[in-house]
Amino acid sequence: MKTAAHDIRYMTRALQLAARGRGRTSPNPMVGAVVVSGRRIVGEGFHRNAGGPHAEAIALHAAGPRAKSGTLYITLEPCSHTRKRTPPCVPAILAAGIRRVVVAMRDPNPQVNGEGLRRLTRAGLSVTTGCLERQAAQLNDSYVHRMRTGRPLVVLKMAMTLDGKTATAAGESQWITGPDARRHAHRLRSQADAIMVGINTVLADDPQLTVRLGKPIARQPLRVIMDSSLRIPLSASVLSRRLQKGTVIAATSRAPHARLVRLRRLGISVLVLPGERGRVSLRACLTQLARIGINRLLIEGGSELAASALQAGVVNRLHLYVAPRLLGGANAKGAIGGSCPPHLARAFSVSDLSVKKIGPDLLIEGTL
């Protein structure tokens, strides 16, 4: 069935509203809603933050009595379950007297997954689904991925020279790219729910792993340190009083027990997870992160963690910041560590490539 032009227009507006919640709604999805009466928008809203009112509730409240016999456009199926912090939206829609509901896509959350649509239909409302479904799914790709796989969507981000080097043989890496690319990378961080690095990156660079854009942000991403043996020094920036609350260390049972106890007594969160080849199992760690509501994970380094993530098959997106420099040297640090496969057929394939210029640098994006 061909979608009516006015449905596309109002759903486009709902998607624009939903996008305003980017970086603030996790573990919830971004959702926008528009109430229309007589082809006129009488109420609209979007989900601003987890724990806050849902988009439907905000839009219906704005519309008030004008919602009666109107049409509600929603970018995601309305919820009907009650085991959460906010009231379910289906009863509010029914109470408002809405006659028709247009939904972009079904919610893949097993607690919803069609039940909201069924309740609306059983109550006698006209329900249309699939209006701008692809755009709605793209907007919430991280949330959809977590619901369908039980793992966060993983973005691998690296900064390197034209010949694929991330540091000199002496370990110098700051800064390979220019200030424009670094600002862009911080915006990428602001869209992530968590940032992951390996212990070698912490020992070499002592990063803060925070978003620094020169203005207050809604929330900082969780910092995840892969440290199988708990080698992290207590003086590390991510363990400072200011940052330790938002830092998680992933270790294995190989870690010294005394060290584990000491870190936990200091209030530092340590996960003890299964190991693989002497390292923390990435898949086990991602499953645990999904359970605490991490939709989007940004892996920033180093080269061994990048190799492990690629070999484990958990990388979904690739962001390469490439500086117009040639470093050379077989002993300079490469972007991806590990062992090289013996045959080209085993190389990791990247699709949907795009390239754009950011200051003097390039950003190459792709899908794995």
Side-chain angles (χ1 to χ4, degrees):
M1 182 185 297
K2 187 176 179 181
T3 305
H6 62 272
D7 284 346
I8 292 175
R9 183 168 70 251
Y10 297 131
M11 189 60 77
T12 297
R13 175 57 182 166
L15 286 166
Q16 291 170 345
L17 290 166
R20 293 184 185 180
R22 191 181 302 279
R24 295 186 291 172
T25 64
S26 287
N28 297 344
M30 293 173 275
V31 182
V34 172
V35 182
V36 174
S37 179
R39 299 290 174 90
R40 179 168 166 261
I41 294 177
V42 295
E44 58 182 31
F46 68 96
H47 186 43
R48 296 175 180 272
N49 58 277
H54 285 193
E56 302 93 316
I58 296 171
L60 290 170
H61 182 266
R66 295 174 295 176
K68 189 172 179 61
S69 299
T71 299
L72 175 64
Y73 293 83
I74 326 169
T75 58
L76 191 70
E77 175 184 2
C79 61
S80 58
H81 59 292
T82 56
R83 295 181 63 183
K84 54 191 181 66
R85 288 178 285 182
T86 52
C89 293
V90 168
I93 295 170
L94 299 178
I98 289 289
R99 181 174 295 173
R100 179 175 180 243
V101 178
V102 181
V103 177
M105 65 174 288
R106 177 185 284 203
D107 189 340
N109 185 338
Q111 292 182 294
V112 186
N113 200 17
E115 184 57 28
L117 301 176
R118 286 188 288 271
R119 291 197 180 189
L120 292 173
T121 302
R122 286 198 297 264
L125 277 68
S126 170
V127 177
T128 302
T129 59
C131 178
L132 301 187
E133 182 176 12
R134 182 180 60 81
Q135 293 89 330
Q138 186 175 19
L139 178 70
N140 280 307
D141 58 350
S142 303
Y143 171 79
V144 171
H145 183 85
R146 178 171 70 91
M147 287 299 162
R148 290 179 176 168
T149 68
R151 299 191 305 271
L153 186 142
V154 175
V155 178
L156 177 60
K157 170 249 173 184
M158 292 179 284
M160 62 189 198
T161 60
L162 276 173
D163 53 341
K165 306 300 184 181
T166 60
T168 67
E172 183 184 351
S173 62
Q174 298 179 344
W175 299 101
I176 285 177
T177 54
D180 292 337
R182 295 200 296 274
R183 278 192 293 271
H184 190 277
H186 275 277
R187 287 196 292 272
L188 187 66
R189 279 184 177 183
S190 72
Q191 296 170 12
D193 302 313
I195 301 171
M196 177 183 285
V197 298
I199 182 58
N200 289 333
T201 295
V202 174
L203 295 175
D205 300 334
D206 192 25
Q208 296 182 56
L209 303 180
T210 56
V211 177
R212 298 183 296 280
L213 291 170
K215 59 181 180 180
I217 65 167
R219 53 120 178 107
Q220 288 285 348
L222 183 74
R223 293 167 290 279
V224 183
I225 314 300
M226 302 294 275
D227 184 8
S228 58
S229 301
L230 292 180
R231 292 187 290 145
I232 190 167
L234 295 178
S235 59
S237 294
V238 291
L239 299 186
S240 65
R241 286 186 178 273
R242 181 173 67 91
L243 300 180
Q244 70 171 226
K245 187 177 180 181
T247 298
V248 172
I249 304 173
T252 68
S253 57
R254 290 177 49 209
H257 182 69
R259 184 79 171 159
L260 172 66
V261 170
R262 185 179 183 189
L263 286 166
R264 285 179 170 170
R265 281 180 177 168
L266 290 171
I268 298 162
S269 178
V270 181
L271 301 176
V272 179
L273 299 169
E276 284 183 4
R277 300 179 189 142
R279 296 174 177 165
V280 177
S281 165
L282 262 171
R283 284 185 171 267
C285 187
L286 294 182
T287 298
Q288 188 64 34
L289 292 176
R291 286 173 182 160
I292 62 173
I294 300 300
N295 288 332
R296 194 177 195 90
L297 172 69
L298 183 64
I299 294 181
E300 290 206 358
S303 62
E304 293 302 319
L305 179 57
S308 296
L310 289 167
Q311 289 162 4
V314 298
V315 178
N316 306 107
R317 306 271 195 275
L318 190 65
H319 279 63
L320 297 180
Y321 295 91
V322 183
R325 300 182 184 187
L326 294 170
L327 193 54
N331 56 348
K333 195 76 170 175
I336 301 171
S339 300
C340 177
H343 305 291
L344 284 172
R346 293 184 59 187
F348 300 103
S349 296
V350 183
S351 59
D352 303 321
L353 280 179
S354 67
V355 181
K356 63 182 175 184
K357 213 165 184 299
I358 303 179
D361 305 310
L362 298 177
L363 171 61
I364 302 175
E365 298 177 75
T367 303
L368 280 93

